[in-house]
Amino acid sequence: HVQLVESGGGSVQTGGSLTLSCTASGLTYTTYCMGWFRQVPGKEREGVAAIYTGDRARYFSDSARGRFTLSHDLARNTLTLVMNSLKPEDTAMYYCAADEFVESRACIVADEQGSWGQGTQVTVS
């Protein structure tokens, strides 16, 4: 049973930065998808950034690319998302997700992820 514990988030002014971290436990394999997703009320959950540990491929949404960076510590199963140049439209609940049975290209697809964290709010004003 995979469990994900998130930290970070909060409120920041436009142009500021925030860091989100997520640590996974209960993983069986060293090859898995892990990523950050976000959701605003009334909209579907969308992928922000994700990594496939097998080939170290990173995936970013169009809105995240160039502003957000993603790092992963395999020894600690910890995923860190540094969000720079934040905009009001980045305001959302951010969720960490992981799955050990998803192919690399699907790592950023929310519907493909099997385990989810509780979410952390990011507010940009």
Side-chain angles (χ1 to χ4, degrees):
H1 176 63
V2 177
Q3 291 187 311
L4 301 165
V5 178
E6 300 144 333
S7 62
S11 297
V12 67
Q13 292 186 337
T14 298
S17 299
L18 283 174
T19 298
L20 305 181
S21 291
C22 176
T23 298
S25 60
L27 292 164
T28 302
Y29 307 105
T30 57
T31 299
Y32 54 88
C33 284
M34 197 168 178
W36 285 98
F37 301 78
R38 68 187 184 187
Q39 189 171 25
V40 297
K43 291 191 176 182
E44 292 186 354
R45 194 169 296 186
E46 64 175 4
V48 177
I51 187 170
Y52 183 68
T53 64
D55 56 11
R56 305 299 290 175
R58 287 169 169 79
Y59 301 92
F60 293 90
S61 65
D62 289 342
S63 63
R65 192 174 296 111
R67 297 189 298 129
F68 297 179
T69 60
L70 191 68
S71 61
H72 181 259
D73 184 336
L74 186 61
R76 293 176 173 80
N77 292 327
T78 298
L79 186 70
T80 301
L81 180 70
V82 178
M83 304 184 291
N84 298 312
S85 302
L86 283 163
K87 307 173 182 180
E89 50 264 44
D90 293 316
T91 296
M93 184 70 79
Y94 283 70
Y95 297 89
C96 177
D99 198 290
E100 296 180 279
F101 305 103
V102 176
E103 294 183 352
S104 180
R105 289 177 296 175
C107 281
I108 203 165
V109 179
D111 289 346
E112 297 290 337
Q113 310 309 311
S115 299
W116 292 87
Q118 77 282 2
T120 185
Q121 179 68 36
V122 170
T123 302
V124 185
S125 60

